[in-house]
Every structure is written in C-alpha cells, then in structure tokens.
Amino acid sequence: LEIAQDVVVSNRALPKGAILSEEDVVLVKKWIRNKSFNHVTSLEEVLGKRLTAGIPYKAELKKNMIAERIYIKKGMNVRIVLNSDSISITALGVSEQDGTLGEIIKVRNISSNRAIFARVLNESVVEVEQ
C-alpha cells in the first residue's frame, strides 16, 4: 500500500551546517510505501534550522538530518543579563559550550571568573534566570 505525501526536498546541493531558507527547500508530493516518523512533511519543520549532513540536489530531508541552529558557539564573547522587577544587571562573559535559541548553557563571567548557567536569547546575549 502506498500513499501520496508531501515531503521536503532540497532545491540544490547543500553543505553540512547550512541554515535552511525558503530558497533551499521545496515541498513535493511523493509516493511513500511505509509511513515513517522520520519524514519531514512541512517547510516549517526545517526553515531556520541547520543541516547535520551535506545533501545533494533533490534529496529528501529526514528529521534526523536537521537540528536547531547554533546561536552561540563555545568560546564566544556574550553579554550576560539578569533582569528582576526593579533592576537590570549586565556583565561580559565567555560561553563554555554551544547553545541554540532558548537553551540553557554554561558561561563564565569575565570579571568574576565564575561559571554560571544562562538561557540563550540571541546571537550574543544570555539571560540568567532567577
């Protein structure tokens, strides 16, 4: 038994680590024999994410080929922010691990040399949660 299903395929050859955009992928209808949970069936599942392996032109993307985009890389300088009701404190730090958006990572405060955990807000800012 086969079913027709929308799947995401590459519009061109893409290298490992590429951040996927609308120009990189397209949705096509494909006949599938075995329904698998590894099929990517919508563009929203891949846009803005990174490839964990290089893929050729017209290759079908699988869920195990994509990962969240790394916003902060290990060794990168970051701004550490602590917000409370009445005060906001910032400090400079260095990330001690890679981090994706919303992930909690270990960072080292440059002035105190103390390691703390903070949530990734964007490409250069992490926030300490209370």
Side-chain angles (χ1 to χ4, degrees):
L1 182 69
E2 290 184 334
I3 60 168
Q5 184 175 14
D6 288 333
V7 294
V8 177
V9 298
S10 60
N11 257 349
R12 59 189 172 95
L14 297 166
K16 177 181 178 178
I19 304 300
L20 298 172
S21 68
E22 290 182 14
E23 294 81 36
D24 298 326
V25 291
V26 65
L27 202 59
V28 298
K29 196 107 26 219
K30 184 176 176 182
W31 287 98
I32 307 286
R33 281 196 181 169
N34 298 322
K35 178 97 171 143
S36 167
F37 294 106
N38 202 25
H39 291 289
V40 178
T41 58
S42 73
L43 294 177
E44 291 76 26
E45 290 181 76
V46 299
L47 294 179
K49 299 206 174 151
R50 70 181 165 85
L51 283 176
T52 58
I55 58 171
Y57 173 63
K58 293 287 184 190
E60 181 182 342
L61 273 73
K62 305 285 187 185
K63 288 183 181 179
N64 62 348
M65 296 174 155
I66 55 174
E68 292 295 325
R69 176 178 163 207
I70 295 175
Y71 278 72
I72 293 181
K73 294 188 183 267
K74 181 179 179 179
M76 218 172 123
N77 289 334
V78 295
R79 185 166 45 113
I80 303 167
V81 177
L82 171 67
N83 291 314
S84 72
D85 295 336
S86 59
I87 193 165
S88 179
I89 300 170
T90 62
L92 293 178
V94 176
S95 65
E96 294 197 348
Q97 62 189 96
D98 292 345
T100 60
L101 188 64
E103 183 178 16
I104 295 176
I105 62 169
K106 188 176 182 180
V107 294
R108 185 163 301 278
N109 183 319
I110 291 176
S111 60
S112 69
N113 203 33
R114 186 171 165 217
I116 57 173
F117 289 92
R119 184 173 307 277
V120 176
L121 296 183
N122 61 38
E123 290 90 353
S124 62
V125 179
V126 295
E127 181 179 41
V128 176
E129 296 180 341
Q130 298 179 2

